[in-house]
Amino acid sequence: MAPLVSRETELARLTEVLDGLTGTGRTPTAAGHGPTGTGYGPTVVDVTGAAGIGKSRLVAEFCARARDRGMTVLRGRATEYEQHLPYQPLADALADLDIETGIPSPFADVHTVDRFALQRAAAAFLARIARTGNGLVVALDDVHWADPASLELLDHLVRHPPRRAPVVIVVARRERQTSPRLVASLTRGVEAGTVLRLELGPLDRNACLAALAPDRPAGLAAELYAASEGNPLYFLALLQAGRPAGLSSLLLDELTPLTDGQRRTVQAVAVLGDHAAPALVAAVTGRREGELDADLRELTARDLARPGPDGRWALRHPVLRSLVHDTTDPMLRTRMHHLAAAELARVGAPVTERAHHVERSLTGWDPHAVTVLTEAARQAAATAPASSAHWLGVALAHLPERRAHGALRRDLMLRRAEALGACGGLWESRDLLHEVISLSPPGTDDGVRASAVTLCAVMERHLGRYAEAVALLRRELARGSDLSPAETVQLGLELGSSAPHASSYPDVRDDVARTLELARSLGDEVAEAGALAVAALGEVYEGNTVAAAEAADRATALIDSLTDQDLAGLCEPLARLGWAEAFLERYADAERHAERGLAIARRGGLLNVVPHLLLCMSHIQVMTLRLGPAVELAEEAETIARGIGSDELLAFVLASKAQALIPALPPGDGGALAVAEEAVARAGAGTRWWASIAWCVLGYAALHAGDPARARAAVLRAGGEDLDGLQPSMRPLFMEILVTASAVIGEHDEARQWADRARREAERLDLVAQRASALRSSAYVPLANGDVVAAADLFEQAAEEAARSGGRLWEAQTLLLGAPLTASAGRTVRARAMWERALRLSTEGDAHLLTGLAEAIRPAVFLEPEAAPDPASASVANGNGNGKARTGTLGQEPTPVELTALSPREREIAALVAEGLTSPAIAERLFLSPRTVETHLSRIYRKTGVTSRAALAALQVRDELRDGLRDGLRDGLRHGGR
């Protein structure tokens, strides 16, 4: 191995990574302590540079140093001619793992799980290996050639690194040949601090000549360095030749002295790539394995081929392999692939490994070869859909244009369209399905046409083309007698599922009813349950809660009586039932059905349904204040949505993720707002359900970020000036954003109007959480008029309603918003009980926003010393009337006076103190010196009678609450209140 030259800076940075992993050089970095961080600094090292620049050599040195520290090191590489072998680089790396660990590889039987479950399993596997030793390094070379499934897995590991485990993944790649998606993912990681990027340039001239050409004449060495442009691979080849020349000609010159047998062996290794085991080389060269020993020794002596730790052989460098492969006679190369496929079949190799050689040996129609390709596609469909689509495409390309093959052609096209849709090729899938439909005349009795129409409607929905989806389905349903009853039900269910995306549910209510009756007449309980689930969601979306509850009850009765096998094709309606129950505030039933649907969908590989089930569960856990799991579920859904490639779906996923992040992140964290902004960007100009949800969540996030004007504008964008575009069953909650934002910016009349409408909407819906929201909105009206007591009463009623709904998020938030008002109204014991229960709920639920708000309002709640016990406080504190509230007291502060005695400048400084600003920060904000600020503070303390910043902040909060709505809410919003 050539010495490592001129990479001191890069090695120093890599040493820092190792120090962080092993704890020898520094403590874990703060960047790693987020929700998905590891606590060990960068989790990925991204080494980029041109071919031959020394990426592999640098990675090898890094791995050697990691081994010296007792770490486990796994190395794998992608290869140029095997770009459709799923997970090849990772599987190659794990082949180095000692089998005595007893930990099964996640790639051992990849076709039994979906690819997203495999990604999570791979991350957990790496973390487990790291924890069993002194840390883990996984080095992957030539990642620019990695198959799509591997690239997707790497993207997952960059965004969700192994948790709390000393793992670092090193990727070496050529920048210009890397997939844009992986580049974007790595770049995001660089910005987030989880990826360290090392861009390798030319070697330093003096260091290169001193280390690699110490015995060569200075003039010649300098000439060769200039010709190589500092590229070590090229420079070493020039040194061997002793003259300037092109790299390709230099490498070909190395092959000139070889005998015919040696040359054939080199060609076989080039064709076989990383699968060049001696037995396989012997099979494709037509020689006995023992006859190869002399050739391999000679190739090793010439440094043309190198043995690996597993006994397989590879050429010295990928550039050399590419040159040998491409200059091998095409007919010989094809025959070698054919012989390799036959030998792999003889020894029982996996079908995906055989498919690679079968593909490269095909020259015409071969039924056996197509059987291998289609079986490989079937096995890869769940874990590597891009590879599945590729192999099906190869089979189709060689299928003769004959009537006898028509049914097979349409079947392969339909399967390929499914694979393309799963890996993000939505447009290509749609176009292929159009072709399947045109090849399947009405009356065809194999069901392919109806399946193609249904799947095409799904693709149209993912593309945001709802009108096209509905038109396609209605056209097919209009065929009437040409359809079998089962096909009519299938198409009718998909049509019902398009609402409320394409139109309002009333537009398809009759279609769903007909589908329901037809399914019942057929005795098809599965389809009947599906139609009822669609009806339940459609009705609850429109706010028809009585009809929705009836449909949900009937769907539940059927679904709970069916087996998982019965429901295998009913996962999407099952997801819709879960959402319907969630909107009806039946959280336990919704979670039960979503969990069951998720298990069935994962087993069946129905990945387009999985995000909806994950988000339903995430939504339920947000409402019931289990924010850690809620964020994880939303992130899993995000991974799938990005893999599918649907902007429409991703908009909904990101909106749901932002909804979970808002209460999960601490006050001042802009992460939720950034996610909500991407959600509306993905939604584009859409106005239907998911786009409306995305804009409402943006309004929610903007409100918590202290931008009420933007919050108001976002909700109006979502619903229009009349708000009819908002989801009717959640309209009071979304209108609360408007009420709060309008109140904060001083639009009191507008806030009153929205609050009145929210109350009317909540009365119509008769949903507890929506009624609680309307009560909170109504509280702002008396508060604007200075009636703190009436406002406090309304917040307390809202808290009781929220508790009845089981929605702990709204209960905790309502208690915190109401507690300062209750304290200001003189009910201090009750206020403290409200505060303590809210803090307990928030702490148990990992609601960092709410715990931050609790600390912010604590001075206002605990301002006055406790006087007499308030019997009502016990029930608030414990939620059941059986406990006692904890109490707390302040120090012996002098009784404060009102802030009216302060000058305008002093009141301004007091307000900034209440915000938590230090004296230097206040000085910078007001263009004063810190000494001047301290002087003002001394005067403020003297005038008000308080002696500390905390007491002054409490006095300021109380005064703002009593002053009225505008200033009182601003402080609460700034600290996380809604």
Side-chain angles (χ1 to χ4, degrees), residues 377-402:
R378 185 193 67 78
Q379 291 192 14
T383 53
S387 295
S388 179
H390 170 77
W391 282 322
L392 289 168
V394 173
L396 283 165
H398 290 85
L399 192 65
E401 293 281 353
R402 296 174 185 166

Side-chain angles (χ1 to χ4, degrees), residues 619-915:
H619 173 79
I620 294 162
Q621 292 182 349
V622 171
M623 294 299 102
T624 54
L625 214 54
R626 292 171 284 165
L627 297 180
V631 172
E632 290 183 7
L633 289 166
E635 288 180 341
E636 183 181 346
E638 179 188 0
T639 297
I640 298 173
R642 292 188 187 278
I644 291 174
S646 168
D647 279 350
E648 192 74 19
L649 175 61
L650 186 57
F652 186 41
V653 169
L654 291 173
S656 298
K657 180 181 177 182
Q659 181 193 32
L661 287 175
I662 290 169
L665 296 177
D669 191 307
L673 182 61
V675 173
E677 288 171 338
E678 186 183 355
V680 298
R682 295 285 184 170
T687 58
R688 295 304 307 168
W689 183 21
W690 291 353
S692 174
I693 291 288
W695 279 101
C696 286
V697 173
L698 176 64
Y700 188 22
L703 195 61
H704 285 283
D707 193 345
R710 188 182 188 190
R712 177 183 179 278
V715 177
L716 291 176
R717 164 64 175 77
E721 291 295 333
D722 57 3
L723 298 189
D724 286 347
L726 300 181
Q727 181 177 336
S729 58
M730 296 188 69
R731 205 171 276 161
L733 267 172
F734 295 143
M735 292 175 70
E736 187 181 352
I737 303 171
L738 271 181
V739 172
T740 309
S742 299
V744 172
I745 62 181
E747 298 289 345
H748 300 307
D749 289 341
E750 184 179 75
R752 184 180 298 106
Q753 292 171 10
W754 293 133
D756 288 343
R757 182 172 173 186
R759 177 182 52 77
R760 294 193 302 271
E761 296 269 2
E763 288 174 356
R764 182 181 69 83
L765 292 170
D766 196 26
L767 294 173
V768 180
Q770 301 300 320
R771 190 159 52 245
S773 173
L775 285 167
R776 289 193 298 271
S777 293
S778 298
Y780 299 137
V781 177
L783 190 57
N785 296 325
D787 190 347
V788 176
V789 174
D793 289 343
L794 287 168
F795 267 110
E796 290 178 30
Q797 292 176 42
E800 291 173 4
E801 288 288 284
R804 279 204 312 121
S805 76
R808 289 188 161 200
L809 170 67
W810 301 124
E811 181 188 359
Q813 189 159 314
T814 306
L815 289 170
L816 290 173
L817 292 174
L821 295 172
T822 298
S824 189
R827 300 194 290 267
T828 56
V829 175
R830 184 172 181 81
R832 295 174 188 182
M834 293 168 66
W835 182 90
E836 289 176 348
R837 174 165 173 79
L839 180 62
R840 178 169 64 81
L841 292 175
S842 304
T843 302
E844 291 173 353
D846 291 325
H848 299 295
L849 176 80
L850 299 185
T851 55
L853 173 59
E855 290 305 312
I857 68 169
R858 182 186 181 108
V861 175
F862 290 84
L863 179 62
E864 300 291 345
E866 188 171 352
D870 181 350
S873 65
S875 62
V876 175
N878 296 284
N880 55 19
N882 296 325
K884 294 182 179 180
R886 297 188 308 241
T887 61
T889 60
L890 296 175
Q892 299 299 315
E893 289 277 5
T895 302
V897 299
E898 300 299 331
L899 295 175
T900 53
L902 302 182
S903 68
R905 174 65 84 182
E906 289 166 349
R907 292 207 64 169
E908 192 173 16
I909 290 175
L912 294 175
V913 168
E915 291 183 27

